[in-house]
Amino acid sequence: MYLRAALTSFRRGGSSLPSDVLSASDMAVSLEHLSAYNRVCGFGLRSQLPATYPHVLAFPLQMRLMTSRGFPFPLPGLVHVGNRISLARPLSLDERFDLHVRAVDLRPHERGQQFDIVSELSVDSAVVWTDVSTYLRRSGSGPAGSGSSAVPEPSAVWSVPSAIGRQYASVSGDRNPIHLNPLTARLFGFRRAIAHGMWTKARSLAALEERLPSAYTVDVRFKLPVLLPAKVGFSATSVGDGWEFAVHDTRTGRPHLSGTVGAFVTT
């Protein structure tokens, strides 16, 4: 998979996305794999799937789509800047799902171009889960947009071990070298290995696990990477029927992630 990803480095970009929809049918969830994912991300062991778990089921199809001949952008250098998940109802371990993945909405950005990879799980033709991952293809030098708001008081402090990149890679299949060890991360311009953005989102959702409704939308923006090992602060504030939450560096206050949990919104 990553050999194919490396070979996309020769792409020069483009003005359109492929119209392909990649699908997988009658997918089952392994209890062993779900348990491993929950341990790495901090969720309790239960028969319901965390809202972030189906993202790892969709990841192989997402990679197939982005390494296909019709995809215009090289994978090295793409930045995962946001992710929105809408959960229509609780998902059970013993259900079987159909999965569909497509690329949509290529649009300009002040630093290049953005697009979305949309993944949907359905049961009996009804969509029960939607994931929209937004990627940035940088081609300019506009403002970074990492934000400079006041640092919130953390409700928890997490010590993130240097091995978390490898641990999350083992359960997610995302073995991007920037997450695995300092030597491979330096080849891509990082001083140390960095945590997966989707691990940071999952860990944040796990911290709210007992306070989440049965259906909701959780939307995050990924900001500065978490250089491993790290000590980060997690903050969460109840807002109406939902939550606002953030992850930041405890020493510098620099933001890593900001997000909201709100009412279920269809995509």
Side-chain angles (χ1 to χ4, degrees), residues 14-97:
S15 58
S16 63
L17 297 169
S19 59
D20 311 55
V21 178
L22 301 187
S23 301
S25 300
D26 199 31
M27 299 183 68
V29 175
S30 158
L31 174 60
E32 180 180 5
H33 184 257
L34 175 63
S35 298
Y37 176 88
N38 286 351
R39 284 193 298 271
V40 170
C41 298
F43 292 103
L45 300 180
R46 56 180 62 190
S47 60
Q48 289 185 0
L49 310 184
T52 49
Y53 178 79
H55 182 89
V56 305
L57 300 181
F59 181 73
L61 284 185
Q62 294 172 355
M63 286 294 290
R64 274 182 51 197
L65 180 62
M66 290 194 285
T67 57
S68 65
R69 288 182 178 273
F71 202 81
F73 301 113
L75 267 67
L78 285 181
V79 182
H80 194 187
V81 296
N83 176 268
R84 183 176 74 254
I85 291 173
S86 291
L87 181 69
R89 61 162 176 80
L91 307 180
S92 175
L93 169 65
D94 58 5
E95 292 187 275
R96 302 185 83 90
F97 305 99

